[in-house]
Every structure is written in structure tokens, then in C-alpha cells.
Amino acid sequence: MKFDTIIIGGGLAGLVSGISLQKAGQDVAIISTGQNALHFFSGSFESVEEPPQRMADLFSEAGIRLQYRPGVRLMPLGTFRPATLSLDDINLFPTPRFAKKAMIVNFTGYHDFFTDFLAEGLEKQGIPCRVQLLQLPELDVIRQSPSEMRSVQIARTMDRIWEKVVQEIRVRLDDEDTVILPQVFGLQDLSVPGRIRQGIPAQIVFVGTLPPSVPGIRTQMLLKRRYEILGGTYLMGDEALKAHIHDGVVHSIVTRNLDSHYLEADNFILATGGFFSKGLKSNPFRIYEPVFGLDVTFAEDRNTWYSPDFSADQPYMDYGVKTDASLHALQDGKPLKNLYVIGSILGGTHPEFGTAAGLAVRSAFAAVDQILS
Ligand SMILES: Cc1cc2nc3c(=O)[nH]c(=O)nc-3n(C[C@H](O)[C@H](O)[C@H](O)COP(=O)(O)OP(=O)(O)OC[C@H]3O[C@@H](n4cnc5c(N)ncnc54)[C@H](O)[C@@H]3O)c2cc1C
């Protein structure tokens, strides 16, 4: 099978580049083993201080609404964190003192939403609050098994019964000006968070739960859908294993599911993520990139890979695949002419692209521009 460009990795970086190339008329294939960092996404895009117009356009065409409003957001453990660019159902406040009195709402049997931590965090800001548990018979089926009581399963039910939740909250609401809910609304039906806000006479704040992240999964689904509508091929659940390279040019790759069929392309993009997604791997002696065997930056002395201070910035997070200035991968010090590296697998090797989501999006656009030029 032959494509114009093959992208390995279907996370944020892979999807942004795939959509852009497909839109420019290329025939693209994305190969992705599965879960990516978006499944854990907080809803705020770090290191994107101002969204570039092409990012705003790409997300809006995919049906993802963004807001650019610098402020702080309430985190799942009751702390506050600065944010600028976020999905539009994320609440951003000028200061952490965002309410006079709050009601925190959870559902009986759902343990991935930390009401006690949230209450403690709000009390620290001088915001009195009480916790209300809703016993919804519609959740009885999934409640029978604790492993089923997860954000995505609950979100599927909530898309159907959100009006009942609104009624229950209205009955319980006393003199609180703010209601805090777990972020389990709007997985399929994007209008639900807005309708809940309209239906309850108080400020509604949706707060993150334990993963999987409902807004993150929705973002992934919408980007993937946009890519497929544009005609892109998405080989879900497959894994790139190795490549055929001659004279500094990648000719084809071999995948787990299509082992006897080589996938060929004019250009390749490596967007396999960092350690979390197994784009980078380590053994006691080295850190390596498993598909192409690319050059990776890391310190010789393994003891310096991490800091014993758990909360410190960890040095290994800066390690990444080496590239030239045009994002061509380096192998034994030499650039591979048609292999570009983007996203978190770059680690801290390209500070000009920022970190986190900023790195994923900026490096994706940079590689796309190289390929199209
Ligand atoms: C847990 C977590 C939470 C995060 N939350 C945020 C956040 O809230 N905000 C923010 O700005 N940033 C966040 N980040 C930073 C995040 O890394 C970036 O925002 C961005 O989503 C990374 O995208 P990526 O496409 O580079 O990599 P990933 O999202 O990691 O995607 C890489 C993909 O490649 C696939 N893959 C790997 N190897 C192969 C192979 N051999 N063949 C085929 N497919 C392969 C993986 O399965 C995965 O699907 C988070 C990171 C992590 C790890």
C-alpha cells in the first residue's frame, strides 16, 4: 500500500498533521496503537499562550470550541492552576475566589470524583460548600460493578439523562451561587454542558475526574472524525514495528497487523509520543526509539536521569529524538531525508516549539509545512 505520507502515532500531534496534510490534498495514513495523552487531557492546552489562527481554524472545523481567556481553573484535587487556551466547557476564573457558596454534586457509587479534596480546597479560599450525592436509578446497571463506574460509562448515560440531573439539582439548590459537577457531560452531545448551565440558576463549574478524561476523549474523537471525513486512513490498533531505510530515505514500514504488506510513502512522520506512549523506551543502559533506532539525547550516567525529589522537574522528560532544524530525524548523526519527528517524542530538544500541547501542535504544523513545500 502506498500513501503520500504515513504518520506513526494518532495523538494530538499525529492528528493535527494528518488533518492538515489531508486537507492540502495528500493521501495520508495514520497508524496508532491506541490510547494517547488526550485520553488524560485536562482540557487546557499548555504552552499555547495565544492560539495560532491555523490551530483555531483546524479545531473549529473539527467542531471543537476553544476559549482563550487567561485565568485559573479548579483542578480535581481542589487546587488551582493557571490556564489560557482551553476547551470552552472548562471554567476559567480571574481569581480562585470564584464563588460565595458552593454545592458539590456527585453520584452514588462514583469514586473517581474527589468531593472531599474539592471541599477542602474551596474552604481554603473561604468558599463554604456542602456535598450532595444524587442516587440515580439509571446508573444502577453500571453501579453493580465498581470497574464499570468510570467517567466514560457515566458520560454515556449522562448524555441521555442530563435533564433529570438538572431537576434534582434545582430541588436541592439552596442559597449557593455555584454548583460543581464532575466533568462527565457532553461526550457525544456537545450541547449538554451549555444546556445544564441554562437549566440551573447558579454558576456551573465542571471539574476533572480521574482518567479517562471525557473532554479529552471527545477532542480525540472529533479530530479523528474530521481526519476521516477528509478521506484520511486510520489504522487503529496497529503498531509500526520497523522500517526499511536505504541511503538516508525511508521506503516503507512494517506493522504488526500487516506484516507481509509493507506500507510505503513519500514522507513519514514519527508522532509516537514520549515514554508514556512508548515512543521512547529505556533499559538500564540507554534510552532508545524503538521503530527506526533514531538518535536520542540522554545523559550517560543513569543516576542523573531522574531527580529523587518527586515533585521536581524530571531530567528524563527533556530527553528526546534528535533532529536537524527542519525536524528531519537523525540516525547515526545523519538526517533521514523524508522522516519528520513531531510531538512529545521530541522532549526538550526544540524549546522553540514550547512544551506539552504547544509542542505537539507547533511541531506538527512545522513538519506539514516542510512536507508541502
Ligand atoms: C498523562 C498525560 C496527560 C497530559 N495532559 C496534558 C494536558 O492536560 N495539557 C497539555 O497541554 N498537555 C498534556 N500532556 C502533554 C502531552 O504529551 C501533549 O499535550 C500531547 O497530547 C502529546 O501528543 P503526541 O501526539 O505527541 O503524543 P501522544 O498523545 O502520546 O500520542 C502518541 C501515540 O502514538 C502511538 N504509538 C506509540 N508507538 C507507536 C507505534 N510503534 N506504532 C503506532 N503507534 C504508536 C501511541 O499509542 C499514542 O496513541 C499530557 C501528557 C500526559 C502523558
Side-chain angles (χ1 to χ4, degrees):
M1 276 183 272
K2 172 99 202 278
F3 296 88
D4 293 326
T5 299
I6 290 177
I7 299 166
I8 309 167
L12 182 60
L15 282 166
V16 165
S17 54
I19 290 171
S20 307
L21 288 169
Q22 199 65 46
K23 207 178 160 195
Q26 284 217 337
D27 185 18
V28 180
I30 293 180
I31 304 158
S32 200
T33 46
Q35 211 174 46
N36 61 69
L38 279 176
H39 292 90
F40 298 76
F41 185 48
S42 65
S44 293
F45 296 81
E46 287 168 34
S47 178
V48 191
E49 290 71 28
E50 261 184 80
Q53 191 56 45
R54 67 199 287 198
M55 175 182 177
D57 291 346
L58 187 147
F59 274 65
S60 142
E61 284 161 12
I64 301 165
R65 291 193 291 259
L66 301 178
Q67 56 170 325
Y68 171 66
R69 184 142 47 99
V72 291
R73 57 176 300 194
L74 178 56
M75 301 302 286
L77 297 183
T79 56
F80 289 84
R81 197 163 167 173
T84 45
L85 183 72
S86 300
L87 300 175
D88 87 334
D89 49 347
I90 305 293
N91 295 74
L92 298 173
F93 311 108
T95 72
R97 186 84 198 258
F98 66 93
K100 290 200 181 79
K101 197 171 178 188
M103 182 165 100
I104 304 173
V105 176
N106 196 9
F107 310 109
T108 310
Y110 183 42
H111 301 302
D112 291 351
F113 184 55
F114 303 118
T115 51
D116 289 351
F117 285 114
L118 285 169
E120 203 182 308
L122 295 187
E123 305 272 351
K124 270 192 199 149
Q125 300 299 327
I127 304 172
C129 54
R130 65 187 172 114
V131 176
Q132 287 287 289
L133 270 184
L134 302 190
Q135 172 85 37
L136 300 168
E138 289 82 354
L139 293 177
D140 281 351
V141 177
I142 51 175
R143 200 180 285 119
Q144 280 166 12
S145 155
S147 63
E148 289 291 304
M149 274 300 265
R150 293 285 173 260
S151 57
V152 175
Q153 278 85 335
I154 293 178
R156 287 200 186 106
T157 309
M158 289 303 158
D159 270 356
R160 284 189 287 111
I161 65 157
W162 63 269
E163 280 168 303
K164 185 162 182 190
V165 173
V166 166
Q167 281 164 15
E168 294 274 347
I169 292 173
R170 287 180 69 109
V171 170
R172 285 156 206 258
L173 198 62
D174 189 3
D175 57 346
E176 291 89 359
D177 65 340
T178 297
V179 174
I180 295 173
L181 283 163
Q183 214 155 35
V184 291
F185 298 92
L187 178 65
Q188 307 274 1
D189 183 348
L190 279 160
S191 68
V192 168
R195 291 191 200 197
I196 293 177
R197 286 196 170 112
Q198 280 169 6
I200 299 172
Q203 168 179 232
I204 305 297
V205 179
F206 297 104
V207 175
T209 63
L210 270 191
S213 149
V214 169
I217 289 184
R218 189 181 62 218
T219 304
Q220 149 85 25
M221 280 183 340
L222 289 170
L223 288 174
K224 179 168 173 281
R225 186 186 305 163
R226 173 71 180 146
Y227 167 74
E228 287 175 332
I229 286 171
L230 288 164
T233 302
Y234 198 104
L235 302 177
M236 180 72 141
D238 203 355
E239 182 185 5
L241 296 177
K242 61 179 182 180
H244 298 120
I245 303 171
H246 301 289
D247 295 333
V249 175
V250 181
H251 290 275
S252 60
I253 55 166
V254 177
T255 73
R256 189 175 295 285
N257 294 348
L258 302 168
D259 62 344
S260 56
H261 302 276
Y262 297 161
L263 292 177
E264 296 174 56
D266 296 332
N267 288 292
F268 293 80
I269 294 180
L270 186 68
T272 45
F275 298 97
F276 174 79
S277 291
K278 302 193 173 70
L280 290 175
K281 291 187 175 178
S282 71
N283 62 28
F285 311 105
R286 66 187 182 108
I287 291 170
Y288 62 99
E289 183 286 307
V291 183
F292 296 88
L294 302 173
D295 299 350
V296 176
T297 56
F298 65 93
E300 290 289 312
D301 179 1
R302 191 181 195 281
N303 293 322
T304 63
W305 290 0
Y306 54 88
S307 161
D309 175 1
F310 186 68
S311 58
D313 285 343
Q314 294 294 330
Y316 69 83
M317 298 303 286
D318 262 351
Y319 300 157
V321 164
K322 288 186 194 172
T323 72
D324 67 10
S326 309
L327 294 175
H328 293 108
L330 298 188
Q331 195 186 47
D332 301 327
K334 293 196 192 104
L336 296 176
K337 292 174 196 137
N338 63 343
L339 176 62
Y340 298 86
V341 185
I342 62 171
S344 49
I345 190 174
L346 287 168
T349 58
H350 282 271
E352 72 276 21
F353 291 128
T355 58
L359 170 63
V361 172
R362 287 191 198 96
S363 59
F365 284 137
V368 165
D369 291 345
Q370 292 286 329
I371 289 172
L372 294 179
S373 69

